[in-house]
Structure formats: C-alpha cells, structure tokens
Amino acid sequence: MRRAAGLVVVFGLGVAIGSAVVKAAPTRKHINTPGRTVQAPFSDAVLVGDTLYLAGRIGLKPGTREVPATAEEEAKLVLDQFKTVLAAADMTMDDLVSVQVFCSDVSLFDTWNKVYPTYFTKELPARAFIGSGPLLFGARFEMQAIAVRR
C-alpha cells in the first residue's frame, strides 16, 4: 500500500496544503486621531487589509460638546472629521463604499444632501439616511462608514 505525501507550500499571506489554500488573517490597525472631544471606549477606525471600518461621528464644534447653530455647518463638521480619519489611513472620501447617516430630524434630508456630495470627486458610495430619534449632545447628524482602498 502506498500513501501520497502531502504538499505544503508557503507563499505571500497564504499557505497551500494539497490543493486547498488557507489564507492568514489580515492584520488589524487601529486608528485614533488626536484631540478627540468625546473620550469613549472605541477606535476612530479599524483597518483590516484594504478595508477601513469608521466609527460613528457627530459634528460638534471643535474642542467642545456643542453642536453648531446650523445644520449645514454641522454636516460639514461631520464630513470634515471623516476626511481626517480617512487621511490617517492614507485614504480619501472617494474610498468610501458604504455610508450610514443617522438624523434626529429627517426634514434635514435636503440640507444634508446639499453638503454631502461636495466632499467627493468620484462616484458616490452606497448610503442610507436613517431617522434616528435623539442623538448624543443634541446632534442632528451621525455618520458611520466603510472604505476600501482604491
């Protein structure tokens, strides 16, 4: 009786065992930007391979726990924060593939839509705009997203 010998070849991030390839888990990099206004138990983003998972952010005035006077200014602050976190991962707004926007007052849909597309130079990501009820600190908008490096 003869037995076939198993073949194991290691290459890149995968290991070939016979005809099956077993990939090693991608590393995780936690990204936290300096000067976070709200100290809470979460990372600003987690990079796994080429995919970045961004935590929810609200548009507080820098260095405070106050929302700005207008919804338009608040929307810009939310989106500016996303630009900052994406830059820390060497990405841009154009790398976003999925976005969820939570809004305490869905009548602000048009206000959000006036500001939002100005932050992109390519195709827009998939998006949900969700009526949420009250948000922390009286915020009108909270956004979370997923980005994939182009």
Side-chain angles (χ1 to χ4, degrees):
M1 177 190 309
R2 263 176 92 168
R3 290 187 162 193
L7 173 65
V8 177
V9 179
V10 178
F11 57 94
L13 291 176
V15 176
I17 302 174
S19 62
V21 175
V22 179
K23 290 193 175 192
T27 59
R28 294 179 186 200
K29 178 182 176 188
H30 292 78
I31 297 171
N32 290 295
T33 56
R36 192 192 291 182
T37 300
V38 178
Q39 298 302 316
F42 62 85
S43 295
D44 289 332
V46 179
L47 182 64
V48 182
D50 285 332
T51 303
L52 184 67
Y53 300 89
L54 295 108
R57 302 193 74 89
I58 55 179
L60 301 176
K61 292 180 190 177
T64 74
R65 289 186 174 197
E66 298 174 23
V67 295
T70 68
E72 186 172 333
E73 184 181 353
E74 184 178 343
K76 289 177 184 177
L77 289 170
V78 170
L79 293 161
D80 287 344
Q81 289 181 53
F82 269 80
K83 282 177 67 173
T84 299
V85 176
L86 286 160
D90 295 321
M91 293 182 172
T92 70
M93 295 292 282
D94 290 325
D95 290 309
L96 291 174
V97 296
S98 179
V99 171
Q100 291 183 334
V101 180
F102 303 91
C103 183
S104 62
D105 179 356
V106 293
S107 72
L108 296 172
F109 182 72
D110 290 336
T111 301
W112 178 266
N113 285 337
K114 182 174 144 189
V115 175
Y116 179 76
T118 67
Y119 280 76
F120 298 90
T121 62
K122 299 184 185 210
E123 303 86 4
L124 296 171
R127 189 189 88 188
F129 189 89
I130 304 162
S132 65
L135 295 170
L136 287 174
F137 309 111
R140 299 171 188 94
F141 305 111
E142 180 169 352
M143 185 172 121
Q144 75 177 62
I146 299 171
V148 176
R149 190 179 318 280
R150 286 182 181 260

